[in-house]
Amino acid sequence: MHEKVQCVQCHSKPIFTNVGKNCQDCHTDIHQRKMGTDCARCHTVLGWNVAVQQVKDHQNRFPLLGAHAAVQCEDCHKSAAVGQYQGLSTACNSCHMRDFQQAKSPDHVAGQFPQTCESCHSFDSWLGATVNHSAPPINFPLTNGHANVPCLNCHVGNNFNLQIAATDCGNAGCHLTTWQQTTNPKHSAAATVFPVATCSTCHNTVSWLTANFDHATTGFPLTNSHQLAPAGKVTACTDCHLNNNYNLQISPTDCGNSGCHLTTWQQTNNQTHSAAGAPFAAANCSTCHNPTLWTNVVFNHAATGWALTGSHQLAPAGKVVACTDCHTGNNYSFTAANTDCYGCHLTSWNSTPSFGGAVPNHITAGFPTTASACAACHPITQWADGKFDHNAFGFPLTNSHALVANGGKVPGCTSCHINSNYNLQIAPTDCGNSQCHLTTWQQTNNPVHSSAGAPFAAANCSTCHNTITWTTAIFDHATTGWALTGSHQLAPAGKVVACTDCHVGNNYTFTAANTDCYGCHQTAWNSTPTFGGAVPNHITAGFSTSMCSTCHDTLLWTDGKFDHSTTGFPLQGPHMLPPRTAVTGAIGPMVNACTDCHLGGNYTSGYPTTDCYGCHQSYFTNAQNYGTNVPNHVAASYPTACISCHTTYVTTAWLGAVFNHTYFGIPHHGSVCSDCHQVSTNYAMFSCINCHTQPSAHRPGMQHPAVNGYVYGATTCYNCHKH
């Protein structure tokens, strides 16, 4: 815009630098300096009026929002004509005071409303104001039924300074009249229970009539029939709270209180509670009754210390028709004596002599009458179905000892308890007692127990016999320290026909001497000279009679086997008795009987010697006769340590000798011992030149000239050619 202005309009003097640069230097401030000196905030060089719309946007401390955006500047800035736009207040009442004063619904002035209009009004419209009734300082949320009530219904007389709590329903300004008019129950007559200030305990803002009182808070919860109909049987609160008495101090279990069920308690006849003593006192109704149904009585008899089980239960579970079957004469004050079986079942007790069968006469038997004693035999389900646990007395009735009815052989208790004697002190193992099996013990004959000593004493029957059958005696002979194995067992497992085969003369008091083999098998011992074969004469050999088991076992006497390795000289190869392993190179006969070595029946320790030479001396002295390559051991002065060469005697016998040439390996080109050892009496001498003669010992013309002291001789070669 400045481009179209004549120069002289700004440069009134020819001095062009003497011109101001600020708008007000040229332009008169029609705002009278009320809007400041920074014209550029609203105006531009494009045009003095271009920025008017930007001014109208009012982007300052009071943005024009809602209805304010459509208002003309001069509607607020009354001095706009003279350029005054500053100094206006941003408070609503600075413009809207007349609106505030004229408001009648509600009357803001009379109601002493604060002039903080923005608390309820918005920029969009002066109408449609809302107030946050839940926020401070009101703190009274308008919920449910309170939400749509006109303000003046509560703020009577335009009183907006109420100080009422949300739970103070009965306040004089609110629901006091309603509280005063209540009839079920009448609140005003029970003001301490239903005070005006605690309406919210039962009532809520949904509906005044849907009161809900939590009776459990009084310590008396309303359950089952105590609830209001239709859930229970109570028609109204006054059914219990007579004469509007809500100050009752009755516990939930105090059913017989005069205000409740006392009349019902007084009218009972089965049992007559009023005459039945403390257990049926008016204060104890809850012991049996519950709020579901008064006649649906359930009494826990176990709480008395005497539970009703089996036939003691009321029919149909048991056999009792009514409580008076036991509590005769309305007597419910039983003591321990009354709960004893005998106290009720005396007639049954006195009838035991006539019951017969397996039922003993309790009277003559002197059976105890205590409850614990009766219960030892009789169950509660059936009195006549008595079963005595004989185990409890340390004498279990097993197998044949059981009653015939229980699968045993005893007809009745009196079979053992003769003359009704039930005070027997007999152990289960005391079979031979005079009251039991003594006669049977006296009649035994295989063996005759009465003369067989302590092992067969009348008190030891259980050692062999059991309760299954008397004749199937089983004696564990191992308990004597001498187990019966092999042929010692009774036939058919062994060869013994009867115990008396060994226990001759009914002698069952054997000692260690009796259990020695020789004690029974002396005849066999004395017959060893005539057995022949490989059986040595035990007598002449001086064999110990206490060592029979060293060779013999209990399976077969003639099948004796001696472990020769225990002597320190195991029998191997040709030393073994037939059948033996394969052996080659034997010179003479091999061992066929013990006497081949033990000449003259000599089996003493150290005889014969375990040295080869001791038995094979003839082979040693005649060695040269057993083959052309066998040296003369005597002439060669060989030591008698035969095992040095005859190392493989187990499989090759005498002719399998091998000598270990330590420094000269053999075989040597097919030579034999005599090729080198030409003097058979002296194998310490040898000669190389018998084979390696001078003409053939070296290559032609070679005489070992470089070898110092070389002399052609019999053993010269060995000095260098040892291998």
Side-chain angles (χ1 to χ4, degrees), residues 569-576 580-581 583 649-651:
F569 189 80
L571 299 183
Q572 298 173 305
H575 289 160
M576 296 173 65
R580 63 173 64 85
T581 57
V583 180
Y649 80 93
V650 173
T651 56

Side-chain angles (χ1 to χ4, degrees), residues 360-390:
N361 185 328
H362 290 29
I363 301 170
T364 58
F367 282 2
T369 60
T370 61
S372 59
C374 297
C377 301
H378 299 278
I380 298 176
T381 53
Q382 182 72 32
W383 181 257
D385 191 23
K387 289 184 177 63
F388 177 64
D389 183 8
H390 222 276

Side-chain angles (χ1 to χ4, degrees), residues 440 444 446-447 449 456 460-477 490 499:
T440 306
T444 56
N446 183 22
H449 291 21
F456 293 88
N460 297 335
C461 302
S462 61
T463 304
C464 303
H465 299 276
N466 55 56
T467 59
I468 298 175
T469 174
W470 185 258
T471 56
T472 56
I474 298 175
F475 177 63
D476 184 4
H477 213 280
L490 285 168
C499 302

Side-chain angles (χ1 to χ4, degrees), residues 438-458 460-461 463-465 470-475 477 490 496-510:
L438 181 59
T439 303
T440 306
W441 179 81
Q442 293 169 338
Q443 294 172 349
T444 56
N445 54 24
N446 183 22
V448 178
H449 291 21
S450 58
S451 60
F456 293 88
N460 297 335
C461 302
T463 304
C464 303
H465 299 276
W470 185 258
T471 56
T472 56
I474 298 175
F475 177 63
H477 213 280
L490 285 168
V496 177
V497 177
C499 302
T500 52
D501 288 1
C502 296
H503 296 277
V504 181
N506 214 40
N507 180 11
Y508 289 89
T509 55
F510 278 7

